[in-house]
Each structure stands twice: as structure tokens, then as C-alpha cells.
Amino acid sequence: MKNSTLISKSPAKIWTDAFPLGNGRLGAMVYGRVGEEKLQFNEETLWSGYFDENADNPDCAAYLDEIRSLIFAGRLAEAEALANKRFVCRGAGGSDMGSKNKRELPYGSFETAGELFVELGDSDAVGYRRELDLSSGVCRVSYESDGKKHLREYVASEKFSCVCGLIDANSSRIRWRREETPIEYIGDMILVHSRLNGGLEYAIAVKVPGAAVDGDSLVKAGRVELYVSIRTAYTGESDVKSAAIRDVERASEVGFEEIKRESSERVSELMGRCAVDLAPDCSEPFDERLEALRVGDRSWLASLIELYFNFGRYLLISSSRSCVLPANLQGVWTNDYDTIWSADYHININIQMNYWLSEVCRIPECADVFLEYVAFLAEKGKRTAEITYGGMNGWVAHTITNPWGFTAPGNGFSWGSFMCAGAWCCEHLWERWLYSRDEAELAKHYPIMKGSCEFFLDFLTVDPRSGHLVTAPSNSPENHYRDPESGNTVAICAGPTMDNSILYELFENTASAARILGIDADFAAKLDETRAKLPPISVGKHGQIMEWQEDFEETEPGHRHLSMLYGLHPSSQITKSRTPELFEAAKVSIERRLSSGGGHTGWSRAWIINFYARLGIGDECLSHLEALLAKSTYPNMFDSHPPFQIDGNFGGTAGVAEMLLQSHEGFVNLLPALPTEWRDGGFTKLRARGGLLVSATWRDGELVGLEVEAELAGTFELRCGGRSWVVELARGEARVLY
Ligand code: FUC
């Protein structure tokens, strides 16, 4: 696979220089240092905190009507003050998500497992090269020292559930470091067995065959083999220490080379599911090319974008397979004990963006854990509907959640009470159906979608000013507007556009699912009737898509959230053919955001790329891909919010796919947003809804080759510019169309 190797000619100085390895459950960051190697480790469930029984606040419901009355009376400042006082979780919730005290709170934080140091004694390095091969998942460090070739290799094995390494050395001293944690050196092992704040028991085992204990280290003559595993009691493991030891003993019996072979094969199969061809292969160091781009040298831009596309797929494969938790705000990697935002799950764009690439890039199995997490949230969210909302049916979740199942509003109304977070997660259940047509899976997911609908059938209330059914109190994710009465900046509102768009889609999808399954005819009819009463997406005085029901003055016109455009992407309520006026207004909304400094976080920029892909403006997509790389990317290609936040990586990769193939309008739209600069290129087996695999090539911006393969039998329509094809294919059938 070309443009699939991250290369650097220098060791990592800081964490965001280091190269990431992951098997879905374990993460490792490889520094590749001369003299003393450093690797930092994570395990996906290594979270402080616990389920906070206290978070759901029974006092909220009593104030619901009063808050609504104040909103509808235009007394927004009072409504907001009351909501901030009463419509929040009990206790500290997620606290100030950037604070350094979350380890002491029930909410907790994703924590580093610690660092492994391997003292090698070499001092000089000639011809240093550090590389991460995305097509195999092997990280290598090589150089010459004292006239001898030195090689290190590392892999994260899914099958053997270990991170493994092989390091050339004359002699080495190996130790583990984790703050305030007892570490044992016994025989050829390093062992940690402890608990985090909140009580989670965990164990770390490092096996170095042939090593011996020397004080607070292991020492070994000659080449070093490393086998590292971390286990926690998150899923109820009764003997985490034995489990971690069992992992490394088993792996060491198999041996590094065999583990590397098997792991490379597995990663190669997943990475090989699809490809894009945007530029000749380039093996120049990534960090040097990134610096060149930053100073205006665009000669490597296309190869960098192809590398970025591959890196996003690699990161999802590395942080979201054979595991029990979805990729969090940092995937499966953190170097902190009290990580910013706890590296939790923000479900008002972040976790959803993590999984946009999974279906179209043919790694749906990487999204399974997210869909299972939605089911977990639905269970926990029933409690919130019951307690916080005074006995409402169904389930609800809000802006933030964590592995303990926090579903209450956050501890601040304006950011913490995004009402449709859980409903948005249900969109991924429906997308899975659109790609897979798996009725059994749809039947499993239907109760989750129905439960979300049931909550909103209770929560929606008539806005006396418009007669529409609206969510109230609510807000447009983390954004504010000027209260026309008081002139104050407020967040609180009724029926923000994003809520209306998400619920329109949820009700439509759930009714469709009921009819496909041949069940709940009356419920489906109720959903249709309710959907018709939601506020429509409207155009404001600037020609923009209105973010709220009324054309309020925005106080943050460059806000990072473009929530009012949910109907453009990821939903398909705004399209050129069906809603031309809204389609044009969406462009205005994006331009207004950008002209006021919008797109300044990685994920926001990535969402803009997807928006412009849906608008069919390829040159804008390219311009924002360039900005995503140049302004929001670290030297190891991690996305920068800042700080590191992985959703930008995933959203950027999804954006590249969206530029080349779309299938949200009932037909396959080929090359819908091809930049002028991408004169020649191609893609292989990107996946359309309905299970159609599509490969295409273009020359001078014109389609010159088109092949399809049906994962599922069906009749498919494909369009490219003025040309179209309708093809009926049997399951598994491939055909050259052009
Ligand atoms: C939401 C975003 C922030 C950040 C956080 C993790 O609050 O508005 O930009 O991405 O999630």
C-alpha cells in the first residue's frame, strides 16, 4: 500500500511526536529514543471513578414547566438562571472538564498505565529512522551505533492481546514508571497490581524472557524481547494479575516473530479493505513534509492527504476492535492521569465523528463496539428519563458520558444539556442498517431507537408561539445568542435546529424500521404524526440556515459547532435536488462561520470538509484538508483540537471518502467533490449504502474507469456528472461498468 508509512528521522521528543500502536484494547506510544527507549502504555478501561448513583437529579422535573414558561414568555435570562441552578446533574458531574481533580470525582478520567524505559547504553546514532507502517501496524526504529546496525520492532497483537517488542542491545536495563504506584520486579517480569481512585482494580505485566532482577530494574544481556499486557476488572475479571501474566506468558511462548507475522497479516487485511490513489508514493519524513506545507510548499499535499486517509483508518483499527469501549476523545491513548475532558465520550459531535468512516471504508466491525455502547447508554439513560425527567418513558443521554454510564445533564446547563445526544447516536444504528440490510441486527437495534423516540414523545412540548412541537429547555450545542429582550448572551432556547433535524430523522428512521420489521404500526404512525409537527429548517435574514427557531443574533458567529447544518451532514435532509434553497443557505452558514474564525478546532475543520463534500465543492474540501494538516496536526499526525483529539483524524478521513463517493440520496454519486488539482487518481472498494463496493479511476478530472461488486443482491443506480448506470447484481457479483 503506498503512502502508508509515517516516517521521522529523529526520536520523539514529546508525546505528540511518538508513534501510536493499538490492538483496540491496548495502546502504546513509541518514542524510539537512542540511549534509552521509552514507550507509554494504555488500556481502554483504565478509568478512575465509578457509576454516580447521585448524578440524576430528581429536582429537575419540578422546574421543567416553570423553565418552559419563562422561555416561551421571552424571559430568557431568568430561564437560563433557573436552568443553570436546577437543570443540572447532582454533584460535580464532569466538573470543569479541563480540571486536574477528576480522579477524585465519580466521573473519573481515562488514565495512562505508565511508561516503560529500556536503557540501551548506546549514545550515537547514524542514519536514524523511525517508521510506523500503517499497512502492517509494525513500528520500527533503526540506526547504526558504534558501527553496528541497531533495529527495534514493535507490534500490538489483537490475537495475543499484548504489545510486543524486539530490541537489539548489548545489554539493557528495563523498568516501569507510574506515579504513586507500587511496582514489583520478580524473575523475568515487572508486575503492577493496584487500584485507581474509585476502586477499579488493574494489573500490568511485562515479561522479558532471559532477564533477571537487579534492584528496581530487570537487566538483560543481548537482544531484548518485550511482552506487555494490562488487564482491569472493568468487565468483572476476578483475577486481573493472573490474566495479565497469562497474556504475556502465552505471547512469549509464541515468540515475537510469529506474533509480528500474524498481527501484520490481520492489520494488512483490515487496511487493505479500501484505498485511495491521489499521488505517487512518497517516503519523505512526514514531519518534514508537514513543516514544508506550513510554509507554503504544497508539492506533497496530495501524498500527505492520502497518508492522512490511511492514518485515520489505522487509528480506528488500532483503537476500536476486539474491545469493550469505543474510541474515546483520544482513541485509546493518553499520557495523563487526569486527561483533558477525561478523554471521555462527548456525544454532541465527537464520538459520532469517530465512526463516520467505518461503513464507507469497509471496517464496520470497528463500529460494533460503538453500537453496543449505544445500547449500554440506552439502559443507563432510562434511569435519567425516570429520575431527572420525572418518570418520562424511554431513555435520554446528554452532552457527556463515560465508561460508567453517566447520562445525566452535565454540571453546567449551557454546555451540559444537549438534549439529542442519545438520539444522534441512534442515527448510527440506522446507518448500519442502510449499509448492511441485516434485519436481525435491525431488530436488535429497534428497541433502542424506539426508546429514544418514547422519551421525546413525552419530552416534546407545544411552543405556544409557533404551535410546533419543540424540545425545551434546550440549546444548540455549546453555542449562544443575544437575548432580544435583555441583550444578554444566552444558550437556553426551545427547538434549536439541530434538535429538530435529529428528531425528524430519528422518527423517520424508527418508523421505517418498524415497517421493515412488520411491527408497531400504530407507533410508527404516531412518529409520522409527531414528525410533521416539528419546526422546519428555516433560512434567516442573512440567507443562512437558522440555528434557532428565531433568527437570533449570534454572539459567536465563528463558533466551532455548526450544529444547524446537521441536515446537510451527517443527515440528508438538505440536498441540492430536494431542498435547493436550504442547500444554498447552508453555504452561507459555513461562510459566515469561516469569516468569523470558524473551523479553528481539528474536528470542526473536519466537519467542514464533510459539509463541502456534500455541497459538491471539491476545491473548498481541498483547501480545508490543507488547513487541517497545516493548522491542526501534530508531528505524529495526531489531530490537534488543541490539545490532541482524535475525532479530527477520523472526520478528515471520512471527508476524503465523502469527496469521492456519496450514497445518501438513494443513488451512488461518484466524484461528487473532486478538487481541480486532483487531475488523475482513483479509489478502490469504497462502500455505498446497500452494500455496493465501488472502484473508480479518473484522468484529467474525468471518470475513466468504474467497477462495482455487490456485497448484497440489489439494483443500484450510479451517477457521475451527466452519466448514469442502473445495474442489477446478484450477491457477490462484480462488474466493470466503464
Ligand atoms: C465539545 C467541543 C469541544 C471539545 C469537547 C471534547 O465540547 O465543543 O471543542 O471537542 O467536546
Side-chain angles (χ1 to χ4, degrees), residues 76 480-490 552-555:
L76 295 168
H480 296 76
Y481 62 93
R482 192 162 312 287
D483 171 7
E485 292 297 311
S486 67
N488 293 343
T489 295
V490 291
F552 294 128
E553 180 197 344
E554 298 171 274
T555 53

Side-chain angles (χ1 to χ4, degrees), residues 272-277 309 313 359-362 435 656-664 666-672 681-698 703-712 714-720 723-725 727 729 732-738:
R273 301 271 181 90
C274 75
V276 296
D277 171 11
F309 175 80
R313 297 186 300 126
E359 300 287 354
V360 65
C361 291
R362 293 185 69 205
Y435 278 91
V656 172
E658 202 70 20
M659 290 165 68
L660 300 174
L661 178 133
Q662 295 175 16
S663 61
H664 60 287
F667 60 89
V668 178
N669 192 358
L670 296 163
L671 309 181
F683 61 83
T684 306
K685 296 194 175 181
L686 290 177
R687 186 163 169 256
R689 292 168 181 80
L692 188 71
L693 305 182
V694 185
S695 303
T697 51
W698 65 90
L703 184 77
V704 296
L706 176 58
E707 296 184 37
V708 293
E709 181 184 335
E711 288 179 328
L712 305 165
T715 300
F716 302 92
E717 181 188 359
L718 299 95
R719 297 181 194 173
C720 187
R723 274 173 295 195
S724 68
W725 300 262
V727 58
L729 297 169
E733 183 182 355
R735 198 171 301 174
V736 175
L737 296 185
Y738 188 71

Side-chain angles (χ1 to χ4, degrees), residues 193-231:
H193 184 197
S194 187
R195 288 181 186 276
L196 297 184
N197 287 305
L200 182 75
E201 184 187 7
Y202 71 96
I204 301 167
V206 180
K207 185 175 178 67
V208 182
V213 176
D214 178 18
D216 66 352
S217 310
L218 295 182
V219 290
K220 168 112 183 21
R223 178 176 276 191
V224 177
E225 283 179 66
L226 287 174
Y227 303 92
V228 181
S229 183
I230 304 157
R231 289 283 177 177

Side-chain angles (χ1 to χ4, degrees), residues 220-514:
K220 168 112 183 21
R223 178 176 276 191
V224 177
E225 283 179 66
L226 287 174
Y227 303 92
V228 181
S229 183
I230 304 157
R231 289 283 177 177
T232 81
Y234 177 77
T235 54
E237 170 61 62
S238 59
D239 184 345
V240 292
K241 184 174 178 181
S242 302
I245 291 171
R246 191 167 49 246
D247 288 337
V248 297
E249 292 286 17
R250 179 170 165 245
S252 66
E253 284 156 17
V254 173
F256 179 81
E257 291 301 337
E258 172 51 23
I259 290 175
K260 180 181 77 170
R261 184 201 60 74
E262 192 279 332
S263 176
S264 303
E265 217 169 76
R266 171 69 172 142
V267 172
S268 173
E269 193 280 319
L270 290 164
M271 287 295 291
R273 301 271 181 90
C274 75
V276 296
D277 171 11
L278 304 178
D281 192 27
C282 176
S283 54
E284 293 299 319
F286 167 72
D287 41 8
E288 293 175 18
R289 284 189 278 166
L290 192 63
E291 271 317 304
L293 183 67
R294 286 195 175 119
V295 295
D297 177 351
R298 300 177 78 253
S299 57
W300 284 308
L301 179 58
S303 66
L304 284 172
I305 292 170
E306 185 170 330
L307 181 60
Y308 198 92
F309 175 80
N310 290 326
F311 189 60
R313 297 186 300 126
Y314 168 80
L315 289 176
L316 193 62
I317 288 164
S318 302
S319 61
S320 192
R321 68 180 147 121
S322 292
C323 56
V324 297
L325 289 173
N328 63 38
L329 283 174
Q330 298 188 183
V332 70
W333 299 278
T334 181
N335 193 31
D336 292 321
Y337 294 94
D338 228 316
T339 308
I340 187 164
W341 296 300
S342 301
D344 70 359
Y345 301 109
H346 273 54
I347 46 182
N348 64 353
I349 179 66
N350 312 88
I351 197 171
Q352 290 92 349
M353 184 178 283
N354 282 3
Y355 287 92
W356 286 344
L357 72 89
S358 60
E359 300 287 354
V360 65
C361 291
R362 293 185 69 205
I363 45 177
E365 61 264 58
C366 292
D368 288 349
V369 65
F370 172 43
L371 304 188
E372 287 150 20
Y373 189 76
V374 176
F376 168 67
L377 278 186
E379 275 316 300
K380 292 291 188 181
K382 287 175 186 167
R383 191 172 186 278
T384 296
E386 174 61 37
I387 297 173
T388 297
Y389 292 88
M392 289 192 183
N393 291 304
W395 68 276
V396 64
H398 299 81
T399 310
I400 61 171
T401 183
N402 60 13
W404 310 117
F406 184 95
T407 51
N411 44 294
F413 171 79
S414 64
W415 63 266
S417 290
F418 172 50
M419 290 308 305
C420 288
W424 188 351
C425 290
C426 289
E427 190 235 359
H428 289 256
L429 303 177
W430 182 249
E431 281 295 291
R432 169 56 63 91
W433 157 256
L434 290 179
Y435 278 91
S436 72
R437 305 299 180 184
D438 181 332
E439 272 200 38
E441 195 173 34
L442 182 63
K444 185 177 80 169
H445 292 157
Y446 175 76
I448 301 165
M449 297 167 73
K450 180 177 182 181
S452 183
C453 293
E454 287 170 332
F455 172 78
F456 287 102
L457 290 178
D458 281 354
F459 182 70
L460 286 168
T461 186
V462 175
D463 185 330
R465 304 164 299 180
S466 64
H468 290 302
L469 278 177
V470 296
T471 53
S474 189
N475 54 69
S476 187
E478 309 193 42
N479 203 359
H480 296 76
Y481 62 93
R482 192 162 312 287
D483 171 7
E485 292 297 311
S486 67
N488 293 343
T489 295
V490 291
I492 201 164
C493 68
T497 300
M498 185 177 224
D499 283 5
N500 307 333
S501 301
I502 289 174
L503 293 183
Y504 187 93
E505 184 180 58
L506 172 69
F507 293 163
E508 184 173 46
N509 294 346
T510 309
S512 298

Side-chain angles (χ1 to χ4, degrees), residues 124-195:
D124 68 327
V126 176
Y128 180 95
R129 178 186 169 103
R130 176 165 57 101
E131 68 172 57
L132 175 60
D133 179 350
L134 306 176
S135 66
S136 67
V138 177
C139 183
R140 287 185 186 85
V141 178
S142 59
Y143 53 84
E144 275 201 18
S145 178
D146 307 325
K148 280 176 63 181
K149 283 193 182 304
H150 173 93
L151 176 64
R152 302 174 208 167
E153 292 186 316
Y154 303 102
V155 295
S157 168
E158 178 186 359
K159 179 175 179 183
F160 297 98
S161 211
C162 267
V163 175
C164 312
L166 189 60
I167 302 176
D168 282 345
N170 296 324
S171 65
S172 56
R173 177 174 291 275
I174 304 114
R175 55 194 169 80
W176 190 276
R177 191 168 70 196
R178 189 176 199 277
E179 72 174 30
E180 300 163 6
T181 305
I183 296 169
E184 291 179 276
Y185 295 82
I186 304 171
D188 62 358
M189 281 206 195
I190 304 172
L191 292 173
V192 173
H193 184 197
S194 187
R195 288 181 186 276

